Amino acid sequence: MTQRLPATSSGLETAARILREGGLVAFGTETVYGLGGDATQPAAVARIFEAKNRPRFNPLISHFATADAAFEQVVATPLARKLAQAFWPGPLTLVLPRAPTSSICDLAADGLESLAVRVPKGECVQALLQAVNRPIAAPSANRSGRISPSDASHVLEELEGRIDAVLDSGPCAVGLESTVLDLTAEDRPLLLRPGGIPAEALEEICGPLAYPETETDAAPASPGRMLSHYAPALPVRLNATSVKPTEGLLAFGPIPLAGAGAVWNLSQTGNLEEAAARLFSGLRYLDKQGALLGLTGVAVQSVPAHGLGRAIQDRLRRAAAPRPL
Ligand code: TXA
Ligand code: MG
């Protein structure tokens, strides 16, 4: 059952408690309804992907009540601060280098070195973010491939029974997602997604913007994006049915293959949400063990192709893809 919470102080309190406990709450922002989860808890973020039925992981925007809170998680540039001053709270998302001290989990950032941050506008979302006082990851609250919801009833049509609650703050003022601006590029800021703040308004502060050369440059599957992902140092071998002592094993399920030099089990019980939440930490762990023990590769046991399994497979395929020299 998904609770429909009113935008009252008790509704807000309940929503904040659910989020802190790792649950999922959809909430209205000025753009569209977001499907929120605590960005510091991998299990909560895994649940977001599961609820959306996403075939692949995607970096998520982290939401904050204030620019100061957002800038604790990233390395802010003077330009980022100027843009924040001009447009926050409001429908602008900034992509910046993730701070070394960031508490955002790898699953929310999809293992990237960068992080998308935004301070949404609206009394209700502001009160919620202040009450939770943690970064909240929130993609649009629709099932994967469907239209973004701009009303609480749209959210329920999409996600009834798949999330804990929806905080009903009425229809969204903008109804279109935030503008995503990448400030990590070398020269000009890169407009990754047009949205609630028009490019002209940004250019008044940034000067001319750069645009992705082709549609796919901004798509997560493009090779350019793939390179910037965290890829393990060791070569990755998928669908292993046996493993050597010189390999690390990324196992799944109750019967890990025998004989590996090091093992990380994504989920002993074969639970895909748990596996998603443990995926990035597993790759990092096996990399570290590899360096320590002189391992030569990582073997991956197969993961079923349903639910979050598809997103896990997608991420592993990218980890196993040939690397540039
Ligand atoms: O208005 C919005 O932005 C809404 C509300 C809920 O805040 N959220 C939203 O999230 O539209 P989502 O997940 O549907 O879209 C996020 C976009 C995606 O295109 C994603 O690829 C991009 O932001 N993005 C997130 N992190 C990124 C990163 N580190 N680098 C580049 N692009 C990133
Ligand atoms: Mg979306």
Side-chain angles (χ1 to χ4, degrees):
M1 259 294 285
T2 299
Q3 300 181 63
R4 187 173 191 146
L5 300 169
T8 57
S9 55
S10 80
L12 281 161
E13 223 170 86
T14 307
R17 181 176 44 73
I18 294 172
L19 286 170
R20 275 196 301 263
E21 287 171 356
L24 300 187
V25 177
F27 54 83
T29 75
E30 81 282 35
T31 60
V32 298
Y33 271 74
L35 172 49
D38 182 346
T40 67
Q41 296 184 46
V45 176
R47 260 179 233 131
I48 294 178
F49 290 112
E50 170 68 30
K52 281 185 68 95
N53 205 9
R54 256 198 178 159
R56 58 154 37 99
F57 298 126
N58 220 13
L60 301 179
I61 299 170
S62 288
H63 296 67
F64 304 86
T66 63
D68 283 347
F71 289 155
E72 275 175 28
Q73 302 291 336
V74 290
V75 183
T77 58
L79 179 57
R81 291 184 191 278
K82 259 205 234 168
L83 288 164
Q85 190 92 41
F87 299 111
W88 280 353
L92 175 66
T93 294
L94 297 176
V95 176
L96 288 159
R98 193 147 50 130
T101 52
S102 164
S103 56
I104 309 285
C105 69
D106 269 332
L107 190 58
D110 195 23
L112 293 170
E113 300 290 318
S114 61
L115 184 72
V117 293
R118 128 171 167 83
V119 176
K121 191 167 168 175
E123 234 175 275
C124 186
V125 65
Q126 276 284 327
L128 177 67
L129 292 170
Q130 264 162 33
V132 185
N133 196 24
R134 294 193 196 162
I136 296 300
S140 48
N142 49 278
R143 293 217 202 172
S144 184
R146 309 265 286 260
I147 299 166
S148 296
S150 52
D151 207 323
S153 54
H154 302 168
V155 174
L156 289 170
E157 281 165 27
E158 293 281 319
L159 300 170
E160 167 78 68
R162 301 174 76 93
I163 62 176
D164 298 297
V166 54
L167 183 62
D168 186 352
S169 54
C172 302
V174 178
L176 168 92
E177 286 95 338
S178 62
T179 302
V180 180
L181 189 67
D182 184 351
L183 296 179
T184 66
E186 302 249 309
D187 38 23
R188 293 175 181 187
L190 182 64
L191 190 90
L192 289 178
R193 179 177 75 182
I197 301 280
E200 293 80 356
L202 294 175
E203 284 183 329
E204 276 179 29
I205 291 177
C206 309
L209 302 176
Y211 295 84
E213 268 162 31
T214 61
E215 278 276 286
T216 51
D217 274 4
S222 79
R225 285 287 313 283
M226 206 169 353
L227 299 187
S228 55
H229 271 80
Y230 177 79
L234 293 175
V236 175
R237 185 165 70 81
L238 300 179
N239 301 322
T241 51
S242 66
V243 62
K244 296 182 226 136
T246 51
E247 287 179 313
L249 175 69
L250 194 65
F252 179 81
I255 313 168
L257 296 172
V263 180
W264 178 275
N265 200 331
L266 290 171
S267 170
Q268 249 162 17
T269 57
N271 178 302
L272 288 166
E273 270 179 36
E274 185 188 22
R278 286 170 55 77
L279 176 63
F280 283 102
S281 29
L283 290 172
R284 286 180 194 275
Y285 170 80
L286 290 176
D287 247 1
K288 282 207 195 97
Q289 292 300 302
L292 266 164
L293 305 171
L295 302 178
T296 56
V298 171
V300 182
Q301 263 180 283
S302 70
V303 172
H306 60 81
L308 277 187
R310 285 182 302 149
I312 294 170
Q313 284 184 346
D314 169 79
R315 187 64 192 75
L316 286 169
R317 261 199 306 276
R318 287 191 273 157
R323 318 271 169 81
L325 293 175

